[in-house]
Amino acid sequence: MDLIILDVIMPLLNGMDTARELRDADQTVPIVFLTSSREFAVDSYEVKAFHYLIKPVDAGKLFSVLDNFKKTLNLRKNTFAAQTKDGFLSIPVSDVDFLEAQNKQVLFHMSDGTKITVQELFSRCAEIFSPENGFCRCHRSYIVNLSCVRLFTKTEITTFGDALVPISRNSYAAFKEIYFQHMFE
């Protein structure tokens, strides 16, 4: 589950006891208490509640809590579990400038200038590093982070780190459209 919205006052097992049992199974899932009782607000810290809302809930407060949750959800989900020669590595997606296919491996060019060789199919990376996540496949062997594009021509992209990434003739029109769509979101 991504989020649990839980009342405190429930028949049989109260919300705090339910939250304790949930915490035994999952320490990280956010729990939002939505209840008419203020008396358990301090106890909610014990189960690491994400938020505690009092009924009747104001729509603005609820949407604010859900917006904050969405931000944390995106942070948690925006990592890529990569297999390297040394083991598995969690790579923050936002730290990737571009990806380069190299035989049966993928070279990740990172924002800090490092390069990570990942043992993964380029096609699988293309599913994750997609336009929905701020990336674009600009060449059959390259996927670029649209937020890292400093400038581009019909044949190449220059990143903020001054790396040059080729654009294929067949990909230019699609890249240009996706880039401007991303920039104006």
Side-chain angles (χ1 to χ4, degrees):
M1 290 173 271
D2 292 322
L3 174 69
I4 297 170
I5 299 177
L6 189 61
D7 199 341
V8 175
I9 301 169
M10 302 187 306
L12 303 175
L13 193 62
N14 75 37
M16 281 301 152
D17 292 335
T18 302
R20 286 183 191 97
E21 287 191 26
L22 288 167
R23 283 291 175 243
D24 288 341
D26 188 337
Q27 288 290 314
T28 61
V29 65
I31 298 172
V32 173
F33 286 103
L34 182 60
T35 186
S36 59
S37 175
R38 294 180 185 273
E39 70 180 274
F40 296 99
V42 175
D43 294 339
S44 71
Y45 289 104
E46 179 187 326
V47 293
K48 300 179 184 106
F50 185 76
H51 213 287
Y52 196 94
L53 294 168
I54 303 295
K55 292 179 189 176
V57 70
D58 173 60
K61 285 183 182 179
L62 176 63
F63 290 133
S64 175
V65 169
L66 293 176
D67 287 342
N68 288 337
F69 161 70
K70 185 178 178 192
K71 289 175 190 172
T72 64
L73 179 68
N74 289 339
L75 291 175
R76 283 188 290 141
K77 288 193 171 181
N78 283 335
T79 58
F80 179 75
Q83 183 178 356
T84 67
K85 65 180 170 56
D86 299 322
F88 285 92
L89 179 67
S90 181
I91 299 174
V93 171
S94 61
D95 291 350
V96 177
D97 278 2
F98 65 96
L99 294 83
E100 178 182 356
Q102 292 188 338
N103 297 322
K104 294 187 189 260
Q105 298 179 333
V106 179
L107 186 60
F108 280 61
H109 296 261
M110 306 302 290
S111 298
D112 64 3
T114 61
K115 296 175 184 173
I116 302 169
T117 301
V118 173
Q119 297 163 351
E120 186 63 71
L121 294 174
F122 193 64
S123 59
R124 180 169 173 319
C125 292
E127 292 171 9
I128 294 162
F129 295 89
S130 64
E132 296 80 29
N133 290 321
F135 288 81
C136 182
R137 189 168 185 169
C138 56
H139 184 279
R140 69 184 169 103
S141 300
Y142 290 88
I143 299 172
V144 68
N145 183 338
L146 295 168
S147 298
C148 296
V149 174
R150 183 165 53 96
L151 65 96
F152 67 93
T153 65
K154 287 188 175 188
T155 58
E156 69 184 8
I157 298 164
T158 305
T159 67
F160 284 109
D162 290 326
L164 299 177
V165 179
I167 299 177
S168 69
R169 270 182 270 135
N170 295 337
S171 299
Y172 176 73
F175 172 79
K176 183 177 172 183
E177 183 178 330
I178 292 168
Y179 175 78
F180 284 114
Q181 184 179 6
H182 173 77
M183 295 309 291
F184 292 109
E185 277 183 355

